[in-house]
Amino acid sequence: MGKYQVLFHVDEEDPEKVRFALNNIHNLLQAVGEEQIAIELVANGPAVKAFTHVSEFGARVQQLNQRGVTFAMCRNAMNLFDLKPEDMMASTIVVPAGVAELTYKQAEGWAYIKP
């Protein structure tokens, strides 16, 4: 794990918001360096729909995942929108509750960013 730990939070399906978050992550990786940072994006609420395997963001998410970025999807939100783990991009993980994941990471000292 790197020197810095940064948590991005997306809770809207709006493509511009998701694109902005992914751009922020890319820019942070460029500025700090992959070996210096751990990054996780948590998607909850309607935002989980932007990370299904048919999403326009698939290639971008896969590229960032290969650079070490974790993409955590809220199971509660997935259930609300009738999404199953197999509906999500292969480069994502499922966490029981997005709000709990945000809480745990912040308690561990992760910086919180909501683009």
Side-chain angles (χ1 to χ4, degrees):
M1 185 176 317
K3 179 178 180 181
Y4 303 103
Q5 299 170 307
V6 182
L7 186 63
F8 283 82
H9 178 205
V10 179
D11 61 1
E12 297 177 48
E13 185 185 7
D14 178 3
E16 290 304 312
K17 295 270 188 176
V18 175
R19 189 173 293 109
F20 187 62
L22 296 176
N23 287 343
N24 275 199
I25 291 169
H26 171 79
N27 293 341
L28 183 58
L29 284 168
Q30 293 299 107
V32 177
E34 297 169 26
E35 60 286 335
Q36 292 294 315
I37 195 162
I39 298 174
E40 181 173 320
L41 179 143
V42 176
N44 69 333
V48 296
K49 294 188 281 183
F51 295 92
T52 63
H53 61 79
V54 296
S55 169
E56 66 184 276
F57 302 110
R60 193 82 190 279
V61 168
Q62 183 178 8
Q63 290 169 348
L64 291 170
N65 182 251
Q66 289 172 347
R67 294 181 72 189
V69 178
T70 300
F71 291 87
M73 304 295 111
C74 172
R75 182 177 299 281
N76 289 332
M78 289 171 56
N79 289 341
L80 180 65
F81 297 108
D82 295 320
L83 295 170
K84 301 195 177 359
E86 57 268 22
D87 297 325
M88 309 311 289
M89 294 178 193
S91 50
T92 63
I93 63 168
V94 177
V95 296
V99 292
E101 183 73 1
L102 294 168
T103 301
Y104 300 148
K105 293 291 185 183
Q106 288 182 77
E108 293 173 1
W110 288 57
Y112 174 85
I113 297 176
K114 187 168 193 284

